[in-house]
């Protein structure tokens, strides 16, 4: 294969310009074409993966699927409070029931474990796949964010997401058209205190 003709300026621009935008910034009731979601998933596919385990699994919710998920997480939030005594707030219940409906698509992020490599490497591979989706969404000017709320860490949800053993639900990637043309400012510390160079 011939060496690809990458454009570093574009790569820098998209990596540094990628931003999260949250439900309050979503344009509601204006779905994105499924073809864009498919492009995001195709790019997720090309993330690096040790021993090619490709541990990522995704479930895409859209349309009535979003309502199904919203009702599911709200009901489970209530059930957990009744059964486990976890806190229950009516406002949180309503948020679980309403917030997903603001998105165009939501992608549940699942890690399917393979034996033979450390779990950390599988988490890293799935995270890189999600980054590819993030970059693709931003490159399309879309609003998107990775959220680890709701059922992400709920034991009761594991079976419903087909999780066994060390499989993990790693959260939810929400995508929508943005409500406005403004783009969020990025905020990061300098790398000065985060990088050490050893030269001799
Ligand atoms: C693993 C992971 C989990 C995250 N979970 C949440 C979350 O639960 N809620 C949320 O508002 N943002 C979440 N975020 C998004 C961060 O808030 C966001 O990346 C951060 O504020 C930096 O903003 P930027 O993505 O626009 O650069 C998550 C990001 C990552 C990588």
């Amino acid at each position: 294969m011939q060496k690809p003709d990458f454009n570093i300026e574009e790569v820098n621009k998209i990596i540094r310009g990628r931003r999260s935008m949250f439900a309050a910034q979503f344009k509601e009731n204006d779905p994105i074409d499924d073809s864009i979601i498919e492009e995001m998933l195709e790019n997720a596919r090309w993330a690096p993966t040790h021993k090619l385990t490709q541990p990522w699994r995704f479930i895409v919710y859209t349309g009535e699927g979003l309502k199904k998920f919203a009702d599911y997480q709200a009901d489970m939030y209530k059930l957990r409070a009744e059964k486990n005594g976890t806190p229950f707030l009516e406002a949180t219940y309503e948020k679980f029931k309403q917030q997903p409906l603001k998105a165009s698509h939501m992608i549940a992020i699942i890690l399917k474990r393979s034996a033979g490599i450390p779990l950390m490497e599988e988490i890293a591979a799935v995270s890189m796949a999600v980054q590819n989706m993030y970059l693709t969404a931003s490159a399309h000017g879309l609003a998107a964010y990775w959220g680890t709320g709701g059922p992400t860490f709920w034991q009761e949800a594991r079976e419903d997401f087909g999780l066994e053993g060390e499989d993990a639900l790693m959260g939810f990637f929400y995508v929508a058209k943005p409500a406005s043309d403004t783009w969020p400012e990025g905020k990061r510390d300098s790398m000065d205190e985060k990088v050490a160079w050893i030269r001799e």
Side-chain angles (χ1 to χ4, degrees):
M1 187 177 157
Q2 220 191 338
K3 191 174 174 186
D5 183 19
F6 295 129
N7 180 331
I8 186 60
E9 269 92 38
E10 283 302 312
V11 171
N12 290 343
K13 193 164 137 189
I14 177 64
I15 290 175
R16 298 172 197 179
R18 179 211 55 79
R19 290 278 80 78
S20 299
M21 275 189 253
F22 304 97
Q25 294 157 290
F26 289 177
K27 185 176 179 197
E28 295 177 41
N29 303 312
D30 189 4
I32 300 160
D33 266 9
D34 283 349
S35 61
I36 291 183
I37 305 300
E38 279 157 13
E39 186 180 26
M40 287 165 49
L41 294 164
E42 174 62 15
N43 288 348
R45 178 180 171 221
W46 291 102
T49 159
H50 191 189
K51 292 202 176 161
L52 273 185
T53 60
Q54 301 164 75
W56 42 79
R57 301 288 184 277
F58 299 110
I59 304 172
V60 183
Y61 299 77
T62 190
E64 283 300 303
L66 286 167
K67 180 158 170 41
K68 194 170 166 186
F69 172 76
D71 290 346
Y72 167 80
Q73 68 170 1
D75 290 348
M76 186 167 282
Y77 173 70
K78 198 175 206 172
L79 197 72
R80 278 167 50 83
E82 286 160 9
K83 283 200 162 174
N84 309 352
T86 52
F88 180 86
L89 295 170
E90 192 63 36
T92 307
Y93 174 80
E94 280 306 315
K95 197 172 155 195
F96 280 140
K97 218 172 165 60
Q98 299 304 329
Q99 194 143 296
L101 311 182
K102 297 180 179 180
S104 162
H105 293 70
M106 185 277 279
I107 304 170
I109 305 159
I110 293 167
L111 182 161
K112 198 77 191 157
R113 186 82 168 100
S114 300
I117 65 167
L119 179 59
M120 184 267 284
E121 300 193 73
E122 304 273 69
I123 297 169
V126 176
S127 303
M128 298 186 93
V130 176
Q131 173 76 341
N132 286 357
M133 298 203 295
Y134 241 130
L135 293 170
T136 312
S138 280
H140 277 288
L142 295 171
Y145 78 100
W146 183 351
T148 42
T152 306
F153 301 107
W154 294 347
Q155 288 301 315
E156 299 88 335
R158 288 184 59 80
E159 200 180 321
D160 298 324
F161 285 90
L163 307 182
E164 302 166 68
E166 286 185 316
D167 296 348
L169 180 58
M170 289 179 56
F172 303 98
F173 195 74
Y174 287 92
V175 197
K177 291 182 186 168
S180 91
D181 275 342
T182 59
W183 199 250
E185 285 292 331
K187 189 167 166 275
R188 290 293 187 277
D189 297 339
S190 139
M191 291 300 269
D192 291 353
E193 286 163 25
K194 299 188 191 295
V195 182
W197 289 59
I198 313 294
R199 296 192 190 275
E200 54 192 54

